[in-house]
Amino acid sequence: NMLKATPTIFVSPSASAVPYSSALSTSHLSGGTVHQPGTSTVVPGTFNWTSPATALTTMGSNSEAVYFTPSDTIDFNNPTGTASVTVNKAAAPVTVWPTPCASINYGAALSTCSLTGGSASIDGTFDWTNRTSIPGVSISVSESVTFTPTNTTDYTTATGTVHVTVNKLTPTVTFSSLIATSITYGQQLSSSTLSGGSATVAGHFAWTNLTTLPGAGTQSEGVTFTPTNATLYAAATGMANVTVNQAT
C-alpha cells in the first residue's frame, strides 16, 4: 500500500483580528499556501484552527495552532502549523444604561444631573461624556453617557445616550404692584388695562381670562405674565384687583 504524503505549509494563513476574550473560532482564516513534499505544486484544501474553542485573553499578537485539510485526503495527510491572530481591546459590555435625574433647569450643566443605576458585565463607572455641556430647553433631549471600564487594558470605553428633561427658567414676578383701570358691571376684563408690575425678565401682563364678567365691587382676578423669551422662560400667574363700578 502507498503511504500518504504529508504536504508542506509554505505560507501560513492570515487570521482576522478579534476582540479580547473571543473564542479562536471567531477569527477567520484566509490565504495560506501548501505544497506537495519537495515540490512547488500547490495542494488545494482548507485551514482550520486546532483548538477553536480557545478563549483569547492575551492582547496583541498570538501564535495559535492550525491544521490543513487537503481536498485529496486519500493521498495527503493533514499538516499542522501556526497562524498569528491579533487580539484587540473589546468594547465594554454595557447591558443597561443609567437613569438621569428627573430634570434640570436651563443653564445648568449636565454635571448637576446625577446618573443612577446602569449595569455592565464588567466593573466600571458611568458618567456624562461632556459634563460641562449645557443642554437647551426640551421635554426630552438626548445626551451622551460614557462607561469607563476599570480594566482599560483589555476593554475600550462604551458610549450610549439617555434622555434628560430641561425645564424653562421661572422668572421672579411681582403682581402686587399691578394697577388695573376700573370697568363697569357687564364689561369683560379685556376692557380693563393693566399697568405696573415687575419681573426679572422682559415680558407683559395680561388678564388670564379676558372674557370674564366680574361682579360689582373690588374683584381679585387672575393675571398671567408671559416672558418675551418664551423659549427659555416659563409664564407665571398671579392676581390683581379690579374695581367694577355699578352700571347706570
Side-chain angles (χ1 to χ4, degrees):
N1 291 333
M2 182 178 251
L3 294 176
K4 288 184 179 183
T6 300
T8 302
I9 297 176
F10 184 70
V11 177
S12 295
S14 299
S16 62
V18 295
Y20 173 79
S21 198
S22 296
L24 188 56
S25 59
T26 61
S27 175
H28 176 67
L29 290 168
S30 61
T33 305
V34 176
H35 290 169
Q36 292 185 18
T39 74
S40 60
T41 302
V42 173
V43 177
T46 57
F47 282 97
N48 296 281
W49 295 111
T50 302
S51 303
T54 297
L56 298 171
T57 56
T58 301
M59 297 293 293
S61 180
N62 292 254
S63 182
E64 298 292 338
V66 296
Y67 68 91
F68 178 79
T69 302
S71 300
D72 178 3
T73 57
I74 295 176
D75 298 316
F76 297 103
N77 289 315
N78 300 71
T80 59
T82 59
S84 179
V85 55
T86 299
V87 178
N88 297 321
K89 289 184 179 184
V94 176
T95 52
V96 178
W97 291 98
T99 301
C101 61
S103 66
I104 57 176
N105 292 328
Y106 174 75
L110 284 175
S111 59
T112 64
C113 179
S114 60
L115 293 168
T116 57
S119 62
S121 57
I122 58 174
D123 291 336
T125 56
F126 292 97
D127 200 356
W128 297 107
T129 303
N130 185 354
R131 290 175 56 81
T132 60
S133 175
I134 298 176
V137 172
S138 176
I139 295 175
S140 180
V141 61
S142 296
E143 294 292 340
S144 177
V145 173
T146 297
F147 175 80
T148 302
T150 302
N151 178 2
T152 56
T153 300
D154 301 321
Y155 293 95
T156 62
T157 58
T159 56
T161 56
V162 298
H163 297 91
V164 182
T165 297
V166 182
N167 301 318
K168 293 181 179 182
L169 295 174
T170 301
T172 300
V173 181
T174 302
F175 292 92
S176 58
S177 57
L178 281 171
I179 298 172
T181 58
S182 61
I183 57 175
T184 302
Y185 178 76
Q187 288 184 305
Q188 297 179 342
L189 276 178
S190 57
S191 299
S192 174
T193 301
L194 289 168
S195 61
S198 64
T200 52
V201 296
H204 67 275
F205 293 91
W207 297 108
T208 303
N209 189 349
L210 291 170
T211 60
T212 294
L213 295 170
T218 300
Q219 305 295 336
S220 182
E221 298 290 344
V223 175
T224 298
F225 174 78
T226 302
T228 302
N229 186 349
T231 301
L232 299 184
Y233 294 95
T237 58
M239 306 296 288
N241 292 330
V242 57
T243 299
V244 182
N245 299 317
Q246 291 183 342
T248 56

